[in-house]
Each structure stands twice: as structure tokens, then as C-alpha cells.
Amino acid sequence: MKATELKYYKTPIIVTIFIIVASFFLNEIHQQIIAFILIFSVGVIHGANDINLIQKKSKKTNNLFFIKTLFLYILVVLFGCFSFFYIPSVGLLFFIFFSSYHFGEQHWEQKIKNIKFSRFLKFIFYTSYGSIILNLLFFIKYDEVKNIIYKISNYNIPIIIFQSIAFTSIICFLFFIFSFKKMRRFFFIELITIILMMLLFNFTTLILAFGSYFVLWHSFPSMKDQIKYLYGSFNFKNILFYLKASLLYWIASILSLIFVKIYFTIPESYLVPLFFSFMAAITFPHVLVIGRIKGSI
């Protein structure tokens, strides 16, 4: 594997190992605090520049286009909220499906950009990889995940569902890896990555497990790609531009969650399901925007 390709793995692997080791010295509350800080900072911010990305892609910066885009974006967020509150089983399936594809796309898009295969095959490949990560998490943290899903949808999902999906996704992923010669060089580093994810999921709390993967392996690399796309290069000055442009949406996202917590009677046991519902609502439009930027949607 080339050094330029290994750089995608070096930092997240080191930090993930650090989090695994640190988890032995942190109680559940401390792990939750760290997880929420990661998710509500880098995690939310990485999706806070979607309107600017759309404007950059369309090359339209007038106020009318901005208002129209913002309206459609909010509409998709509201659809996500509606689906989770009124048809939760559908909302949950969409969240898992969209997230699987989105995680796989971010992780692999740059690595396989010189490998030619159809958009449909890329879709299957990206989804299979993201599905491995999510379903390993669901399988390893089954008892907690089962309770969260039940509180959201009133469905009890047997563990064999997660096991079957994870197994099928692994077979699909391996088929792609060994079918394309240029992808085989990633096999061992990806094997190490997946083993590391299993250790992370096993030794940390559910929220820290999800938050660590979401921020280290997805959100931060996504931010870097977005900054390069918007401003041409990744440096301190452009990071500040990106953060400034993200500020309003980030504040609106955090305030909306605080509003729901304060003005609606939500038992403490429902806070984690509320958190995942919030993540799902803001995930839907973000996946569509990034897919549009990368030309996959």
C-alpha cells in the first residue's frame, strides 16, 4: 500500500486505540460526556455546510436560490422527524440504509476513484461496507440497541437479523475486494480496521462506540473533503472559514434538540432514543447533499 493511501488510516487508528485504552479508566458517565462532546462538535458541524456545498455545486449564489434550497433542506429534515415519530419502523430502516451507504461512500470514494465500475456496483459496495460497521455495532451492543429500537418503533428485533446482515455484508465486501485487483491492497488494513472497530464497540459504551467511529472515521475526513471542495485546500485559514460558515446551522441544530428536551416531557430513559432520532433527522438531507456533490445521486 502506498504511503498516500495509508494516511487515511494512520490518525483514526491511533486515536481509536487511545480511546479503547482510555475506556478502561473511564466510567460510563465520563464516556457519555466525551461521546456527546465529539458528536455535537465535529459530528454535527461536518453536516452544517450543506447549503454552501449545494451553492458551490450549482454555481448559484443568489438569495432566491438560497431560500429555495434552505426550504427544501428543512423539508427533508422535517420528513425525517415525521418518519421517526409517526412511522418509526420506516424511519429506522431509512436511517440504517442511508447511514450505511453514506459511511461506505465517505470511506471509499477517494480510495477507489481510479477503479472503474458502474454506479450501481459502487452503491452496493459502499452500502455493504457501511452495513458491516453498523451491524457489528448493533450485534456487539445488542441488548442496548434492542431496547432503543423498541422504544422508537415498538419492535423487538432478534439478534439473528444483525448477525445475518453483518455476515451478508462481509461476504459482499470480500467479493468486491478480491474481484478488483487494485482493491486487494486494502484488504489487510481494512481487516485491521474492522478488528479495531470490534474492540472499540466491545470495550466502550454504545454512545462512545458510535461517536468514536462517527467522528474519527467519518465526520473529520468528510470535513477535510468539504473544505478542499469549498476553498481549494485544507489549512488552518480555510478551517476557520468553514467553521464560521457552519456556525448558524450548528447553533440551530443544538437549540432544536434543547427545545425538544425542555418543552416536551421526555423520560430520562428516552434520551438516547431521542438522540438517535435527532441524528437520523439531520442525516437524511446530508446524505443527499454529499451524494449530489460526489455525483453518486
Side-chain angles (χ1 to χ4, degrees):
M1 178 179 290
K2 299 177 182 177
T4 54
E5 295 170 340
L6 192 60
K7 70 179 181 180
Y8 290 105
Y9 298 89
K10 185 177 179 180
T11 300
I13 283 178
I14 292 172
V15 180
T16 300
I17 293 173
F18 174 80
I19 290 174
I20 293 171
V21 174
S23 69
F24 291 101
F25 304 95
L26 299 170
N27 61 36
E28 184 174 345
I29 298 299
H30 292 151
Q31 290 190 42
Q32 305 289 64
I33 292 171
I34 292 170
F36 284 126
I37 290 173
L38 287 172
I39 292 167
F40 288 120
S41 56
V42 178
V44 174
I45 288 173
H46 101 280
N49 250 309
D50 287 349
I51 305 301
N52 290 333
L53 291 169
I54 295 173
Q55 288 182 308
K56 174 80 173 182
K57 178 68 175 180
S58 64
K59 299 179 181 179
K60 296 179 181 179
T61 57
N62 60 77
N63 291 335
L64 181 61
F65 180 80
F66 173 82
I67 293 171
K68 179 183 176 182
T69 303
L70 182 62
F71 173 78
L72 291 173
Y73 194 89
I74 293 173
L75 202 63
V76 176
V77 172
L78 292 176
F79 169 77
C81 293
F82 174 86
S83 65
F84 256 79
F85 281 101
Y86 294 100
I87 42 175
S89 57
V90 174
L92 185 65
L93 286 173
F94 267 99
F95 172 60
I96 295 172
F97 176 76
F98 270 62
S99 296
S100 295
Y101 171 78
H102 186 49
F103 290 165
E105 180 184 45
Q106 175 58 47
H107 188 79
W108 283 100
E109 194 259 344
Q110 287 296 320
K111 299 181 182 72
I112 63 172
K113 62 183 178 181
N114 295 323
I115 301 175
K116 293 184 179 180
F117 51 98
S118 71
R119 183 177 294 185
F120 175 74
L121 289 179
K122 281 187 178 181
F123 172 80
I124 298 297
F125 177 64
Y126 293 156
T127 304
S128 68
Y129 181 83
S131 182
I132 291 172
I133 301 298
L134 282 178
N135 282 281
L136 282 176
L137 175 62
F138 296 160
F139 165 62
I140 292 171
K141 296 294 186 184
Y142 174 69
D143 290 336
E144 296 172 74
V145 171
K146 180 183 69 172
N147 291 335
I148 290 171
I149 291 175
Y150 182 78
K151 288 174 181 177
I152 292 175
S153 65
N154 288 324
Y155 286 106
N156 272 317
I157 298 183
I159 193 170
I160 193 172
I161 297 295
F162 299 135
Q163 292 173 324
S164 299
I165 295 175
F167 178 77
T168 303
S169 299
I170 290 170
I171 296 300
C172 185
F173 173 73
L174 290 175
F175 171 79
F176 276 97
I177 285 287
F178 290 110
S179 293
F180 294 89
K181 187 177 180 180
K182 292 182 179 179
M183 294 174 66
R184 293 174 197 168
R185 64 181 182 271
F186 293 104
F187 174 73
F188 288 107
I189 190 66
E190 283 299 332
L191 179 62
I192 292 170
T193 298
I194 291 174
I195 291 173
L196 197 59
M197 290 301 103
M198 293 173 69
L199 293 173
L200 174 71
F201 298 162
N202 186 65
F203 291 116
T204 61
T205 64
L206 174 62
I207 298 297
L208 184 57
F210 173 79
S212 298
Y213 174 79
F214 181 63
V215 170
L216 296 175
W217 293 87
H218 174 72
S219 300
F220 188 70
S222 178
M223 280 179 57
K224 289 179 67 176
D225 289 346
Q226 291 176 46
I227 290 170
K228 289 177 184 178
Y229 180 78
L230 288 169
Y231 307 112
S233 61
F234 182 78
N235 55 48
F236 182 73
K237 180 181 178 181
N238 289 338
I239 291 173
L240 292 180
F241 284 142
Y242 182 88
L243 294 176
K244 182 180 178 181
S246 304
L247 187 61
L248 185 61
Y249 179 87
W250 179 77
I251 291 174
S253 299
I254 301 302
L255 288 179
S256 64
L257 188 61
I258 293 173
F259 174 83
V260 172
K261 174 65 176 69
I262 293 176
Y263 289 96
F264 292 89
T265 304
I266 300 175
E268 188 174 340
S269 61
Y270 276 79
L271 290 180
V272 174
L274 173 64
F275 161 76
F276 280 106
S277 299
F278 166 79
M279 292 299 298
I282 63 177
T283 292
F284 293 141
H286 177 66
V287 173
L288 296 175
V289 169
I290 298 301
R292 176 63 177 162
I293 298 303
K294 295 180 181 292
S296 57
I297 294 179

